[in-house]
Amino acid sequence: MIITIDGPAAAGKGTISAYLSQKYHLAYFDTGMVYRAVGLQMVLTGLNLQNQNAALKIAQNLTFPQMMELSVHPDFRSDIGGQAASIVSAYPTVRAALLNMQKNFALKPTFADGQPAKGVVYDGRDTGTIICPNADLKLFVTASPQIRAERRYKEFLQKGMITSYEKVLADMIARDERDSKRTNAPLKPAEDAVIIDTSDLSIDDVLAYITPLVEAKL
Ligand code: C5P
């Protein structure tokens, strides 16, 4: 069973992915992590994010263990990590270098402890269009930029990160623009994706809507 969940930042993909992977015992691949890892590695080594060749070299050498190591850095999930990921992910060469790592996961999905899983939930921007065009179920989860910025702002506050709602909203809009306007793998729903706008829905409403869609595929 392969489920893809695409959509813009803070639309609810992570919560839905975590719920589905737990409920149906599926592995979870948060594909934003690969771009965050490359972007953060650039920032930490003092490389200019506009240096496409340097980003490509980092992408070509990226391994799962290295990605997991970078994922505990405080800036991995911060707006610094998010913006860096968004910049490097727009480079077609970087995307190409990270493609197989993401595609191959579905051939032999594993849980974090290395145990084999019967399927995978992918979370990202192009997982239903590029990474797994043959997925069993494709969801495209979205919400208004204001609602998403509010959710992300609250998350940052809970983590003790200092920022303002206005900055989070401006970053969100800039990231949406870059993600949807890039020529290579732009953020857009797959033709056969179910589109869910979570702006006015509680997480319980969303999960109640999605569960029968998954059950129908089991
Ligand atoms: O989902 P997350 O916020 O972690 O993603 C960080 C950035 O990585 C996104 O803004 C997007 O630019 C990029 N990304 C992508 N393709 C994916 C996942 C993430 O381009 N499949």
Side-chain angles (χ1 to χ4, degrees):
M1 163 75 103
I2 299 177
I3 303 174
T4 58
I5 308 184
D6 291 310
K13 303 186 303 292
T15 310
I16 298 169
S17 303
Y19 173 83
L20 293 181
S21 54
Q22 247 186 356
K23 184 169 165 98
Y24 298 104
H25 310 290
L26 302 169
Y28 172 37
F29 193 161
D30 171 4
T31 60
M33 286 181 71
V34 297
Y35 299 103
R36 283 180 185 266
V38 173
L40 183 60
Q41 185 66 37
M42 300 274 291
V43 172
L44 295 179
T45 32
L47 291 163
N48 186 335
L49 288 164
Q50 307 304 326
N51 186 340
Q52 186 171 166
N53 280 337
L56 174 61
K57 272 205 190 104
I58 292 175
Q60 283 169 332
N61 293 314
L62 184 72
T63 60
F64 253 95
Q66 192 192 5
M67 185 170 84
M68 297 318 287
E69 203 177 301
L70 282 162
S71 74
V72 296
H73 189 280
D75 274 327
F76 191 78
R77 293 275 165 207
S78 76
D79 46 0
I80 294 175
Q83 290 297 331
S86 169
I87 293 169
V88 298
S89 72
Y91 299 140
T93 51
V94 167
R95 298 197 79 85
L98 297 168
L99 187 64
N100 284 341
M101 180 191 196
Q102 296 174 80
K103 270 182 176 281
N104 291 346
F105 189 78
L107 303 176
K108 219 178 155 191
T110 49
F111 293 109
D113 63 2
Q115 291 298 310
K118 286 198 179 126
V120 54
V121 179
Y122 277 99
D123 165 341
R125 304 291 185 287
D126 62 346
T127 65
T129 50
I130 310 273
I131 308 293
C132 276
N134 297 324
D136 299 287
L137 177 65
K138 299 179 185 177
L139 305 176
F140 188 88
V141 184
T142 188
S144 72
Q146 289 74 16
I147 297 271
R148 290 187 288 114
E150 213 174 290
R151 291 176 186 163
R152 193 44 51 95
Y153 176 60
K154 282 185 189 153
E155 266 172 44
F156 284 157
L157 286 189
Q158 269 170 6
K159 287 182 188 165
M161 293 178 186
I162 297 162
T163 185
S164 70
Y165 167 77
E166 288 71 24
K167 176 162 185 348
V168 175
L169 177 61
D171 286 349
M172 188 77 75
I173 291 171
R175 197 134 74 94
D176 284 357
E177 174 122 343
R178 226 181 348 251
D179 289 352
S180 51
K181 292 217 171 126
R182 64 183 176 222
T183 46
N184 191 39
L187 170 65
K188 63 166 192 204
E191 275 177 18
D192 49 349
V194 178
I195 299 176
I196 305 164
D197 187 327
T198 67
S199 302
D200 301 317
L201 298 178
S202 70
I203 186 62
D204 287 343
D205 293 337
V206 175
L207 299 179
Y209 178 76
I210 289 171
T211 303
L213 302 178
V214 179
E215 303 273 334
K217 300 286 178 185
L218 286 175

